[in-house]
Amino acid sequence: MLRIVGGAESLPYDFPWALSLQRGGSHRCGATLVTADHALTAAHCFEAGASSSEHSVSVYRHDLSQADHQEHACSQTISVSEIKCHPDWNEVTFNNDICVLKLQRAATCAGSIGLPELSGGDPFVGEEVTVAGWGVLNEEHTVTPDKLHFVEIP
């Protein structure tokens, strides 16, 4: 389970690339929009044999207790058309815990989201990075917040 331990609630839409991966309309995991029609998420978010037709992503969300169309002009739900998890994903060790999601259509406001740009090398070695999501806020809790949180980690 993702933890945003020691973090704080984000301002609405500070992290527009943060998606809610949903199954049957309920939040399951966080994901990151990496192109207008692709997202990254963790392999542990899916049960064996999971069907892409059961999953969608919710874009431009902050408060999961609000209907997506009530949140922001760019809020939308997009069905997942394909799930490709790392072939060496190991559910015991959590090695290679990553999947690429192909979305049925491009996010309409993707141009304003500020998609990640990667340079060569190891850009984060020794640098602080920001993690955002709806994960539990401390080691003792198992309930996740409705509002997006973030934490800076070394």
Side-chain angles (χ1 to χ4, degrees), residues 16-109:
W17 41 260
L19 309 177
S20 169
L21 174 63
Q22 302 194 345
R23 180 177 180 200
S26 296
H27 176 76
R28 183 151 179 91
C29 279
T32 300
L33 192 66
V34 293
T35 71
D37 61 351
H38 287 89
L40 291 178
T41 194
H44 73 260
C45 297
F46 301 99
E47 296 169 3
S51 169
S52 60
S53 65
E54 301 174 314
H55 295 86
S56 61
V57 295
S58 195
V59 181
Y60 248 100
R61 296 300 302 277
H62 175 72
D63 185 349
L64 295 178
S65 69
Q66 299 289 316
D68 64 356
H69 65 277
Q70 294 175 332
E71 264 212 86
H72 188 281
C74 291
S75 295
Q76 61 186 296
T77 299
I78 304 172
S79 296
V80 173
S81 63
E82 191 175 354
I83 303 168
K84 286 197 174 199
C85 294
H86 194 288
D88 295 325
W89 151 237
N90 185 312
E91 63 186 62
V92 175
T93 65
F94 280 71
N95 287 342
N96 306 306
D97 186 14
I98 191 166
C99 293
V100 175
L101 307 177
K102 170 78 172 131
L103 308 182
Q104 278 191 346
R105 59 186 166 80
T108 56
C109 293

Coordinates of all heavy atoms in Angstrom, one line a residue, residues 16-109:
P16 N -1.1 17.9 -11.6 CA -2.1 17.4 -12.6 C -1.8 16.1 -13.3 O -2.7 15.5 -13.8 CB -2.1 18.6 -13.6 CG -0.8 19.3 -13.4 CD -0.4 19.1 -12.0
W17 N -0.5 15.7 -13.2 CA -0.1 14.4 -13.8 C -0.5 13.2 -12.9 O -0.4 12.1 -13.3 CB 1.4 14.4 -14.1 CG 2.2 15.0 -13.0 CD1 2.7 16.3 -13.1 CD2 2.6 14.4 -11.8 NE1 3.4 16.5 -11.9 CE2 3.3 15.4 -11.1 CE3 2.3 13.2 -11.2 CZ2 3.9 15.2 -9.8 CZ3 2.9 13.0 -9.9 CH2 3.6 14.0 -9.3
A18 N -0.9 13.5 -11.7 CA -1.3 12.4 -10.7 C -2.7 12.0 -11.1 O -3.7 12.8 -11.1 CB -1.2 12.9 -9.3
L19 N -2.8 10.7 -11.4 CA -4.1 10.1 -11.8 C -4.6 9.2 -10.7 O -3.8 8.6 -10.0 CB -3.9 9.3 -13.1 CG -3.3 10.0 -14.3 CD1 -3.1 8.9 -15.4 CD2 -4.0 11.2 -14.7
S20 N -5.9 9.0 -10.7 CA -6.5 7.9 -9.9 C -6.8 6.8 -10.8 O -7.6 6.9 -11.7 CB -7.8 8.5 -9.2 OG -8.6 7.4 -8.6
L21 N -6.2 5.6 -10.5 CA -6.5 4.4 -11.2 C -7.7 3.8 -10.6 O -7.7 3.6 -9.3 CB -5.3 3.4 -11.2 CG -5.6 2.0 -11.8 CD1 -5.9 2.1 -13.3 CD2 -4.4 1.1 -11.5
Q22 N -8.7 3.5 -11.3 CA -10.0 3.0 -10.8 C -10.4 1.7 -11.3 O -10.1 1.4 -12.5 CB -11.1 4.1 -11.0 CG -10.7 5.4 -10.4 CD -11.8 6.4 -10.2 OE1 -12.9 6.2 -10.8 NE2 -11.6 7.4 -9.4
R23 N -11.1 0.9 -10.5 CA -11.7 -0.3 -11.0 C -13.1 -0.3 -10.6 O -13.4 -0.1 -9.4 CB -11.0 -1.5 -10.3 CG -11.6 -2.8 -10.8 CD -10.8 -4.0 -10.2 NE -11.5 -5.2 -10.6 CZ -11.3 -6.4 -10.1 NH1 -10.6 -6.5 -9.0 NH2 -11.9 -7.4 -10.5
G24 N -14.0 -0.4 -11.5 CA -15.4 -0.3 -11.2 C -15.8 1.0 -10.6 O -16.8 1.1 -9.9
G25 N -15.1 2.1 -11.0 CA -15.5 3.4 -10.5 C -14.9 3.8 -9.1 O -15.2 4.9 -8.6
S26 N -14.2 2.9 -8.5 CA -13.6 3.1 -7.2 C -12.1 3.2 -7.3 O -11.4 2.5 -8.0 CB -13.9 2.0 -6.2 OG -15.3 1.9 -6.0
H27 N -11.5 4.2 -6.5 CA -10.0 4.4 -6.5 C -9.3 3.1 -6.1 O -9.7 2.5 -5.1 CB -9.7 5.5 -5.6 CG -8.2 5.8 -5.4 ND1 -7.4 6.3 -6.4 CD2 -7.3 5.4 -4.5 CE1 -6.2 6.4 -6.0 NE2 -6.1 5.8 -4.8
R28 N -8.3 2.7 -6.8 CA -7.5 1.5 -6.5 C -6.1 1.9 -6.2 O -5.5 1.4 -5.2 CB -7.6 0.5 -7.6 CG -6.9 -0.8 -7.4 CD -7.6 -1.9 -8.1 NE -6.9 -3.1 -7.9 CZ -7.3 -4.0 -6.9 NH1 -8.2 -3.7 -6.1 NH2 -6.6 -5.1 -6.8
C29 N -5.5 2.7 -7.0 CA -4.1 3.1 -6.9 C -3.9 4.5 -7.6 O -4.7 4.9 -8.4 CB -3.2 2.1 -7.6 SG -2.8 0.6 -6.7
G30 N -2.7 5.0 -7.4 CA -2.3 6.2 -8.1 C -1.6 5.8 -9.4 O -1.2 4.6 -9.6
A31 N -1.5 6.7 -10.3 CA -0.8 6.5 -11.6 C -0.3 7.9 -12.0 O -0.7 8.9 -11.5 CB -1.8 5.9 -12.6
T32 N 0.6 7.8 -13.0 CA 1.2 9.1 -13.5 C 1.0 9.1 -15.0 O 1.4 8.2 -15.7 CB 2.7 9.1 -13.2 OG1 2.9 9.0 -11.8 CG2 3.4 10.4 -13.7
L33 N 0.4 10.2 -15.5 CA 0.3 10.5 -16.9 C 1.7 10.8 -17.5 O 2.3 11.7 -17.0 CB -0.7 11.6 -17.1 CG -1.2 11.8 -18.6 CD1 -2.0 10.6 -19.0 CD2 -2.0 13.1 -18.7
V34 N 2.1 10.0 -18.4 CA 3.5 10.2 -19.0 C 3.4 10.7 -20.5 O 4.4 11.3 -21.0 CB 4.4 9.0 -18.9 CG1 4.7 8.8 -17.4 CG2 3.8 7.8 -19.5
T35 N 2.3 10.4 -21.2 CA 2.0 11.0 -22.5 C 0.5 11.3 -22.4 O -0.2 10.9 -21.5 CB 2.4 10.1 -23.7 OG1 1.4 9.0 -23.7 CG2 3.8 9.5 -23.6
A36 N 0.0 11.9 -23.5 CA -1.4 12.2 -23.5 C -2.3 11.0 -23.4 O -3.4 11.0 -22.9 CB -1.8 13.0 -24.7
D37 N -1.8 9.8 -23.8 CA -2.6 8.6 -23.7 C -1.9 7.4 -23.1 O -2.2 6.2 -23.4 CB -3.1 8.2 -25.1 CG -2.0 8.0 -26.2 OD1 -0.8 8.2 -25.9 OD2 -2.4 7.5 -27.3
H38 N -0.9 7.6 -22.3 CA -0.2 6.6 -21.5 C 0.0 7.0 -20.1 O 0.3 8.1 -19.8 CB 1.2 6.2 -22.2 CG 1.1 5.5 -23.5 ND1 1.0 6.1 -24.7 CD2 1.0 4.2 -23.7 CE1 0.9 5.2 -25.6 NE2 0.9 4.0 -25.1
A39 N 0.0 6.0 -19.2 CA 0.2 6.2 -17.8 C 1.1 5.1 -17.2 O 1.1 4.0 -17.8 CB -1.1 6.3 -17.0
L40 N 1.8 5.4 -16.1 CA 2.6 4.4 -15.4 C 1.9 4.2 -14.1 O 1.4 5.1 -13.4 CB 4.0 4.9 -15.1 CG 4.9 5.0 -16.3 CD1 6.3 5.6 -15.8 CD2 5.1 3.7 -17.0
T41 N 1.9 3.0 -13.6 CA 1.4 2.6 -12.3 C 2.1 1.4 -11.8 O 3.0 0.9 -12.5 CB -0.1 2.4 -12.3 OG1 -0.6 2.4 -11.0 CG2 -0.5 1.1 -13.0
A42 N 1.8 0.9 -10.6 CA 2.4 -0.2 -10.0 C 1.7 -1.5 -10.4 O 0.5 -1.6 -10.5 CB 2.5 -0.1 -8.5
A43 N 2.5 -2.6 -10.6 CA 2.0 -3.9 -11.0 C 1.1 -4.4 -9.9 O 0.1 -5.1 -10.1 CB 3.1 -4.8 -11.4
H44 N 1.5 -4.1 -8.6 CA 0.7 -4.7 -7.5 C -0.7 -4.1 -7.4 O -1.6 -4.6 -6.6 CB 1.4 -4.4 -6.1 CG 1.4 -3.0 -5.7 ND1 2.5 -2.2 -5.8 CD2 0.4 -2.3 -5.0 CE1 2.2 -1.0 -5.3 NE2 0.9 -1.1 -4.8
C45 N -1.1 -3.2 -8.3 CA -2.4 -2.6 -8.3 C -3.4 -3.5 -9.0 O -4.6 -3.3 -9.0 CB -2.4 -1.2 -9.0 SG -1.4 0.0 -8.1
F46 N -2.9 -4.6 -9.7 CA -3.7 -5.4 -10.5 C -3.7 -6.8 -9.9 O -2.7 -7.4 -9.6 CB -3.3 -5.4 -12.0 CG -3.3 -4.1 -12.6 CD1 -2.1 -3.4 -12.7 CD2 -4.5 -3.6 -13.0 CE1 -2.2 -2.1 -13.2 CE2 -4.5 -2.3 -13.6 CZ -3.4 -1.5 -13.7
E47 N -4.9 -7.5 -9.9 CA -4.9 -8.9 -9.6 C -4.6 -9.7 -10.8 O -4.7 -9.2 -12.0 CB -6.3 -9.2 -9.1 CG -6.8 -8.5 -7.9 CD -8.2 -8.6 -7.6 OE1 -9.0 -9.3 -8.3 OE2 -8.7 -8.0 -6.6
A48 N -4.1 -10.9 -10.6 CA -3.7 -11.8 -11.7 C -4.9 -11.9 -12.7 O -6.0 -12.1 -12.3 CB -3.3 -13.2 -11.2
G49 N -4.6 -11.7 -14.0 CA -5.6 -11.8 -15.0 C -6.5 -10.6 -15.1 O -7.6 -10.7 -15.7
A50 N -6.1 -9.5 -14.5 CA -7.0 -8.3 -14.6 C -7.3 -7.9 -16.0 O -6.4 -7.9 -16.9 CB -6.3 -7.2 -13.8
S51 N -8.5 -7.5 -16.3 CA -8.9 -7.0 -17.6 C -8.8 -5.5 -17.7 O -9.3 -4.8 -16.8 CB -10.3 -7.5 -17.9 OG -10.8 -6.9 -19.0
S52 N -8.3 -5.0 -18.8 CA -8.2 -3.6 -19.0 C -9.6 -3.0 -19.0 O -9.8 -1.8 -18.6 CB -7.5 -3.2 -20.3 OG -8.1 -3.8 -21.4
S53 N -10.6 -3.7 -19.5 CA -12.0 -3.2 -19.6 C -12.6 -2.8 -18.2 O -13.6 -2.1 -18.1 CB -12.9 -4.1 -20.3 OG -13.0 -5.3 -19.6
E54 N -12.0 -3.4 -17.1 CA -12.5 -3.1 -15.8 C -11.9 -1.8 -15.2 O -12.3 -1.4 -14.1 CB -12.1 -4.2 -14.8 CG -12.7 -5.6 -15.2 CD -12.1 -6.7 -14.3 OE1 -10.9 -6.7 -14.0 OE2 -13.0 -7.5 -13.8
H55 N -10.9 -1.3 -15.9 CA -10.1 -0.2 -15.3 C -10.3 1.1 -16.1 O -10.4 1.1 -17.3 CB -8.7 -0.6 -15.2 CG -8.4 -1.7 -14.2 ND1 -8.6 -3.0 -14.6 CD2 -8.1 -1.7 -12.9 CE1 -8.3 -3.8 -13.5 NE2 -8.1 -3.0 -12.5
S56 N -10.1 2.2 -15.4 CA -10.1 3.6 -16.0 C -9.2 4.4 -15.1 O -8.8 4.1 -14.0 CB -11.5 4.2 -16.0 OG -12.0 4.3 -14.7
V57 N -8.8 5.6 -15.7 CA -8.1 6.6 -14.9 C -8.9 7.8 -14.8 O -9.6 8.2 -15.8 CB -6.7 6.9 -15.5 CG1 -5.8 5.6 -15.5 CG2 -6.8 7.4 -16.9
S58 N -8.8 8.5 -13.7 CA -9.5 9.8 -13.5 C -8.4 10.9 -13.5 O -7.5 10.8 -12.8 CB -10.2 9.7 -12.2 OG -11.1 10.7 -12.1
V59 N -8.6 11.8 -14.5 CA -7.6 12.8 -14.8 C -8.0 14.1 -14.1 O -9.2 14.5 -14.1 CB -7.5 13.0 -16.3 CG1 -6.4 14.1 -16.6 CG2 -7.1 11.7 -17.0
Y60 N -7.0 14.9 -13.7 CA -7.2 16.3 -13.1 C -8.1 16.1 -11.9 O -9.2 16.8 -11.8 CB -7.8 17.2 -14.1 CG -6.8 18.3 -14.5 CD1 -6.1 18.3 -15.7 CD2 -6.7 19.4 -13.7 CE1 -5.2 19.3 -16.0 CE2 -5.8 20.4 -14.0 CZ -5.1 20.3 -15.2 OH -4.2 21.3 -15.5
R61 N -7.7 15.3 -10.9 CA -8.5 15.1 -9.7 C -7.7 15.6 -8.5 O -6.5 15.6 -8.5 CB -8.8 13.6 -9.5 CG -9.7 13.0 -10.6 CD -11.0 13.7 -10.7 NE -11.8 13.7 -9.5 CZ -12.6 12.7 -9.1 NH1 -12.6 11.6 -9.9 NH2 -13.2 12.7 -8.0
H62 N -8.4 16.1 -7.5 CA -7.8 16.4 -6.2 C -8.6 15.7 -5.1 O -8.0 15.0 -4.3 CB -7.8 17.9 -6.0 CG -7.4 18.3 -4.7 ND1 -6.0 18.2 -4.3 CD2 -8.0 18.8 -3.6 CE1 -5.9 18.6 -3.0 NE2 -7.1 19.0 -2.6
D63 N -9.9 15.9 -5.1 CA -10.8 15.3 -4.1 C -11.6 14.2 -4.7 O -12.5 14.4 -5.4 CB -11.7 16.4 -3.6 CG -12.5 16.0 -2.4 OD1 -12.6 14.8 -2.1 OD2 -13.1 16.9 -1.8
L64 N -11.2 13.0 -4.3 CA -11.9 11.8 -4.9 C -13.4 11.6 -4.3 O -14.1 10.8 -4.9 CB -11.1 10.5 -4.6 CG -9.8 10.4 -5.2 CD1 -9.1 9.2 -4.8 CD2 -9.9 10.5 -6.7
S65 N -13.8 12.4 -3.3 CA -15.1 12.4 -2.9 C -16.1 13.2 -3.8 O -17.3 13.1 -3.6 CB -15.2 12.9 -1.4 OG -15.0 14.3 -1.3
Q66 N -15.5 14.0 -4.7 CA -16.3 14.8 -5.6 C -16.4 14.1 -7.0 O -15.4 13.4 -7.4 CB -15.6 16.1 -5.9 CG -15.5 17.0 -4.6 CD -16.8 17.5 -4.2 OE1 -17.6 18.0 -4.9 NE2 -17.1 17.4 -2.9
A67 N -17.5 14.2 -7.6 CA -17.7 13.6 -9.0 C -16.7 14.4 -9.9 O -16.4 15.6 -9.7 CB -19.1 13.8 -9.5
D68 N -16.0 13.6 -10.8 CA -15.0 14.2 -11.6 C -15.4 15.4 -12.4 O -14.7 16.4 -12.6 CB -14.3 13.2 -12.5 CG -15.1 12.6 -13.6 OD1 -16.3 12.8 -13.6 OD2 -14.6 11.8 -14.4
H69 N -16.7 15.4 -12.9 CA -17.1 16.5 -13.7 C -17.4 17.8 -12.9 O -17.5 18.9 -13.4 CB -18.4 16.1 -14.5 CG -19.6 15.9 -13.6 ND1 -19.8 14.6 -13.0 CD2 -20.6 16.7 -13.2 CE1 -20.9 14.7 -12.3 NE2 -21.4 15.9 -12.4
Q70 N -17.4 17.6 -11.5 CA -17.6 18.8 -10.6 C -16.3 19.4 -10.2 O -16.3 20.5 -9.6 CB -18.4 18.4 -9.4 CG -19.8 17.9 -9.7 CD -20.5 17.4 -8.4 OE1 -19.9 16.9 -7.5 NE2 -21.8 17.5 -8.4
E71 N -15.2 18.8 -10.5 CA -13.9 19.3 -9.9 C -13.3 20.3 -10.7 O -12.9 21.4 -10.2 CB -13.0 18.1 -9.8 CG -13.0 17.5 -8.4 CD -11.7 17.0 -8.0 OE1 -10.8 17.8 -7.5 OE2 -11.5 15.8 -8.1
H72 N -13.1 20.1 -12.0 CA -12.2 21.0 -12.8 C -12.7 20.8 -14.3 O -13.1 19.8 -14.7 CB -10.8 20.6 -12.7 CG -9.8 21.5 -13.3 ND1 -9.5 21.5 -14.7 CD2 -9.0 22.5 -12.8 CE1 -8.6 22.4 -14.9 NE2 -8.3 23.0 -13.8
A73 N -12.5 21.9 -15.1 CA -12.9 21.8 -16.5 C -12.2 20.7 -17.2 O -12.7 20.1 -18.2 CB -12.7 23.1 -17.2
C74 N -11.0 20.3 -16.8 CA -10.2 19.3 -17.5 C -10.4 17.9 -16.8 O -9.8 16.9 -17.3 CB -8.7 19.6 -17.4 SG -8.3 21.0 -18.5
S75 N -11.2 17.8 -15.8 CA -11.4 16.5 -15.1 C -12.2 15.6 -16.1 O -13.2 16.0 -16.7 CB -12.2 16.7 -13.8 OG -11.5 17.4 -12.9
Q76 N -11.7 14.3 -16.1 CA -12.4 13.4 -17.0 C -12.0 12.0 -16.6 O -10.9 11.8 -15.9 CB -12.0 13.6 -18.5 CG -10.5 13.5 -18.7 CD -10.2 13.9 -20.1 OE1 -10.6 13.2 -21.1 NE2 -9.4 14.9 -20.3
T77 N -12.8 11.0 -16.9 CA -12.5 9.6 -16.7 C -12.2 9.0 -18.1 O -13.1 9.1 -19.0 CB -13.6 8.9 -16.0 OG1 -13.8 9.5 -14.7 CG2 -13.3 7.4 -15.8
I78 N -11.1 8.2 -18.2 CA -10.8 7.6 -19.5 C -10.6 6.1 -19.3 O -9.8 5.7 -18.3 CB -9.5 8.2 -20.1 CG1 -9.6 9.7 -20.2 CG2 -9.1 7.6 -21.4 CD1 -8.3 10.5 -20.6
S79 N -11.2 5.3 -20.1 CA -11.0 3.9 -19.9 C -9.6 3.4 -20.3 O -9.0 4.1 -21.2 CB -12.0 3.1 -20.8 OG -13.3 3.4 -20.4
V80 N -9.1 2.4 -19.7 CA -7.8 1.8 -20.0 C -8.1 0.7 -21.1 O -9.0 -0.1 -21.0 CB -7.2 1.1 -18.8 CG1 -5.9 0.3 -19.1 CG2 -6.9 2.2 -17.7
S81 N -7.3 0.8 -22.2 CA -7.5 -0.1 -23.3 C -6.5 -1.3 -23.3 O -6.7 -2.3 -23.8 CB -7.4 0.6 -24.7 OG -6.1 1.1 -24.9
E82 N -5.3 -1.1 -22.6 CA -4.3 -2.1 -22.5 C -3.5 -1.9 -21.2 O -3.2 -0.8 -20.8 CB -3.4 -2.0 -23.7 CG -2.5 -3.2 -23.9 CD -1.7 -3.1 -25.3 OE1 -2.0 -2.2 -26.1 OE2 -0.9 -3.9 -25.4
I83 N -3.1 -3.0 -20.6 CA -2.3 -3.1 -19.4 C -1.1 -3.9 -19.8 O -1.2 -5.1 -20.1 CB -3.0 -3.7 -18.2 CG1 -4.3 -2.9 -17.9 CG2 -2.0 -3.7 -17.0 CD1 -5.2 -3.7 -16.8
K84 N 0.1 -3.3 -19.7 CA 1.4 -4.1 -19.9 C 2.3 -4.0 -18.7 O 2.8 -2.9 -18.5 CB 2.1 -3.5 -21.2 CG 1.4 -3.9 -22.4 CD 2.4 -3.7 -23.6 CE 1.7 -4.2 -24.8 NZ 2.6 -4.5 -25.9
C85 N 2.3 -5.1 -17.9 CA 3.2 -5.1 -16.7 C 4.5 -5.7 -17.1 O 4.7 -6.5 -18.0 CB 2.5 -5.9 -15.6 SG 1.0 -5.1 -15.1
H86 N 5.5 -5.3 -16.3 CA 6.9 -5.8 -16.5 C 6.8 -7.4 -16.5 O 6.2 -7.9 -15.6 CB 7.8 -5.3 -15.4 CG 9.2 -5.5 -15.7 ND1 9.8 -6.7 -15.6 CD2 10.2 -4.6 -16.0 CE1 11.1 -6.6 -15.9 NE2 11.4 -5.3 -16.2
P87 N 7.4 -8.0 -17.4 CA 7.4 -9.5 -17.5 C 8.0 -10.2 -16.3 O 7.7 -11.3 -16.0 CB 8.1 -9.8 -18.8 CG 8.9 -8.7 -19.1 CD 8.2 -7.5 -18.5
D88 N 8.9 -9.5 -15.6 CA 9.6 -10.1 -14.4 C 9.0 -9.5 -13.1 O 9.7 -9.6 -12.1 CB 11.1 -9.8 -14.5 CG 11.7 -10.6 -15.7 OD1 11.3 -11.7 -16.0 OD2 12.6 -10.0 -16.3
W89 N 7.8 -9.0 -13.1 CA 7.2 -8.5 -11.9 C 7.1 -9.7 -10.9 O 6.7 -10.8 -11.2 CB 5.8 -8.0 -12.2 CG 4.8 -8.0 -11.1 CD1 3.5 -8.7 -11.2 CD2 4.8 -7.5 -9.8 NE1 2.8 -8.5 -10.1 CE2 3.6 -7.8 -9.2 CE3 5.7 -6.8 -9.1 CZ2 3.3 -7.4 -7.9 CZ3 5.4 -6.4 -7.8 CH2 4.2 -6.7 -7.2
N90 N 7.6 -9.5 -9.7 CA 7.6 -10.5 -8.6 C 6.7 -10.0 -7.5 O 7.1 -9.1 -6.8 CB 9.0 -10.8 -8.2 CG 9.1 -11.9 -7.2 OD1 8.4 -12.0 -6.2 ND2 10.0 -12.8 -7.5
E91 N 5.6 -10.6 -7.2 CA 4.7 -10.2 -6.2 C 5.2 -10.5 -4.8 O 4.6 -10.0 -3.8 CB 3.3 -10.7 -6.4 CG 3.2 -12.2 -6.3 CD 1.8 -12.7 -6.7 OE1 1.3 -12.5 -7.8 OE2 1.1 -13.3 -5.8
V92 N 6.2 -11.3 -4.6 CA 6.8 -11.6 -3.3 C 7.8 -10.5 -2.9 O 7.8 -10.0 -1.9 CB 7.4 -13.0 -3.3 CG1 8.1 -13.3 -2.0 CG2 6.3 -14.1 -3.6
T93 N 8.7 -10.2 -3.9 CA 9.8 -9.3 -3.6 C 9.4 -7.9 -4.0 O 10.1 -6.9 -3.6 CB 11.1 -9.7 -4.3 OG1 10.8 -9.6 -5.7 CG2 11.5 -11.1 -4.0
F94 N 8.4 -7.7 -4.8 CA 8.0 -6.4 -5.4 C 9.0 -5.9 -6.4 O 8.9 -4.7 -6.8 CB 7.6 -5.4 -4.3 CG 6.3 -5.6 -3.8 CD1 6.0 -6.6 -2.9 CD2 5.2 -4.7 -4.1 CE1 4.7 -6.8 -2.4 CE2 4.0 -4.9 -3.6 CZ 3.7 -5.9 -2.7
N95 N 9.9 -6.7 -6.9 CA 10.8 -6.3 -7.9 C 10.1 -6.1 -9.2 O 9.1 -6.9 -9.5 CB 11.9 -7.4 -8.2 CG 12.9 -7.4 -7.1 OD1 13.1 -6.5 -6.3 ND2 13.7 -8.5 -7.0
N96 N 10.4 -5.1 -10.0 CA 9.8 -4.8 -11.3 C 8.3 -4.5 -11.1 O 7.5 -4.8 -12.0 CB 10.1 -5.9 -12.3 CG 11.6 -6.2 -12.4 OD1 12.4 -5.3 -12.6 ND2 11.9 -7.5 -12.2
D97 N 8.0 -3.7 -10.1 CA 6.6 -3.4 -9.8 C 6.1 -2.2 -10.6 O 5.9 -1.1 -10.1 CB 6.5 -3.1 -8.3 CG 5.1 -2.9 -7.8 OD1 4.1 -3.3 -8.5 OD2 4.9 -2.4 -6.7
I98 N 5.9 -2.5 -11.9 CA 5.5 -1.4 -12.8 C 4.7 -1.9 -14.0 O 4.9 -3.0 -14.5 CB 6.8 -0.6 -13.3 CG1 6.4 0.7 -14.0 CG2 7.7 -1.5 -14.2 CD1 7.6 1.6 -14.2
C99 N 3.7 -1.1 -14.4 CA 2.9 -1.3 -15.6 C 2.7 -0.1 -16.4 O 2.7 1.0 -15.8 CB 1.5 -1.8 -15.2 SG 1.4 -3.4 -14.3
V100 N 2.6 -0.2 -17.7 CA 2.3 0.9 -18.6 C 0.8 0.7 -19.0 O 0.4 -0.4 -19.3 CB 3.2 0.9 -19.8 CG1 2.7 1.9 -20.8 CG2 4.6 1.0 -19.4
L101 N 0.0 1.7 -18.9 CA -1.4 1.7 -19.3 C -1.6 2.5 -20.6 O -1.1 3.6 -20.7 CB -2.2 2.3 -18.2 CG -2.1 1.8 -16.8 CD1 -3.0 2.6 -15.8 CD2 -2.4 0.3 -16.7
K102 N -2.2 1.9 -21.5 CA -2.6 2.6 -22.7 C -4.1 3.0 -22.5 O -4.9 2.2 -22.2 CB -2.5 1.6 -24.0 CG -3.1 2.2 -25.2 CD -2.2 3.2 -25.9 CE -2.8 3.6 -27.2 NZ -2.9 5.0 -27.5
L103 N -4.3 4.3 -22.7 CA -5.6 4.8 -22.5 C -6.4 4.8 -23.8 O -5.8 4.9 -24.9 CB -5.6 6.3 -22.0 CG -4.7 6.5 -20.8 CD1 -4.7 7.9 -20.3 CD2 -5.1 5.5 -19.6
Q104 N -7.7 4.6 -23.7 CA -8.6 4.5 -24.9 C -8.5 5.8 -25.8 O -8.8 5.8 -27.0 CB -10.0 4.2 -24.6 CG -10.2 2.7 -24.4 CD -11.7 2.4 -24.3 OE1 -12.6 3.2 -24.1 NE2 -12.0 1.1 -24.3
R105 N -8.3 6.9 -25.1 CA -8.2 8.2 -25.8 C -7.2 9.1 -25.1 O -6.9 8.9 -23.9 CB -9.5 8.9 -26.0 CG -10.3 9.2 -24.8 CD -11.7 9.7 -25.0 NE -12.5 9.7 -23.9 CZ -12.5 10.6 -22.9 NH1 -11.6 11.6 -23.0 NH2 -13.2 10.5 -21.9
A106 N -6.8 10.2 -25.7 CA -5.8 11.1 -25.1 C -6.6 12.0 -24.1 O -7.8 12.3 -24.3 CB -5.2 12.0 -26.1
A107 N -5.9 12.3 -23.0 CA -6.4 13.3 -22.1 C -6.6 14.6 -22.8 O -5.6 15.1 -23.4 CB -5.5 13.4 -20.8
T108 N -7.7 15.3 -22.7 CA -8.0 16.5 -23.4 C -7.1 17.7 -23.0 O -6.8 18.5 -23.8 CB -9.5 16.9 -23.3 OG1 -9.8 17.1 -22.0 CG2 -10.4 15.9 -24.0
C109 N -6.7 17.7 -21.8 CA -5.9 18.8 -21.3 C -4.5 18.5 -21.1 O -3.7 19.1 -20.4 CB -6.5 19.4 -20.0 SG -8.1 20.2 -20.2

